[in-house]
Amino acid sequence: MKIDAATAIGATDRTVRPADRDGQGVYEVESRRRFSTSQADLWDAISSAERLPRWFLPVSGELREGGRYQLEGNASGTILRCEAPRLLSVTWEYGGGMSWLDVTLEPVAEDVTLLRLVHVVPDDDHWRQFGAGATGVGWDLGLLGLALHLGGVSMDRAAAEAFPTSPEGRAFIAGAADGWRRADIAAGENPAQAEFAAKRTAAV
């Protein structure tokens, strides 16, 4: 799969914010990207059990507000809010840890929709090792897959799994990690620590 890494990386705006959730120090890792499709179609792409595997992962469970979901081989959680076609809010439970994910869709022009993804993660040892890139780069890959899907590109599971280790994939990951490095610094992180974390993220 041929990807222009610089163009793909530049399609996403990145912001990091230190915050507090229930007395716990957290970081809000935010990605924003515009997609050339309607709000209804974008909502269907991110919420349909039939479409999710085409660009992300197979999902199972009770896909309704209050229900539990399971992404194949990845996170599970509870669907906290589901307000079609605008807001999806879930817990993100993976590797024994808990974080929170909000996805908001906003129409900005005819057949152009802004997707705003905010992943709230704890301020812990994992954050200090990898910074925002630990969360952000994974979502960069996910949003790239979503853009390809909406553009009519069909990619099988094997090709998607092989992409991160391909030359194009490595270039994309390195560039995305650098984008999160800059977002970390803008949020007040020490530049040397942000550089350390970005390099560790890109090397994984």
Side-chain angles (χ1 to χ4, degrees), residues 89-113:
S89 179
V90 302
T91 63
W92 191 265
E93 302 166 28
Y94 182 75
M98 167 82 82
S99 56
W100 302 267
L101 180 69
D102 292 335
V103 181
T104 306
L105 306 185
E106 177 187 349
V108 294
E110 185 176 358
D111 287 334
V112 178
T113 305

Side-chain angles (χ1 to χ4, degrees), residues 159-176:
E161 290 177 349
F163 175 71
T165 59
S166 69
E168 294 85 1
R170 296 308 305 172
F172 179 83
I173 289 169

Side-chain angles (χ1 to χ4, degrees), residues 2 6 24 36 41 43 47 56 70 83 85 92 94 96 110 119-120 124 132 134 153 169 172 187 194:
K2 296 297 182 183
Q24 176 187 16
S36 299
D41 182 55
W43 175 264
S47 64
F56 194 47
Q70 174 68 60
E83 301 175 7
W92 191 265
Y94 182 75
E110 185 176 358
H119 200 151
V120 180
D124 57 13
V153 176
F172 179 83

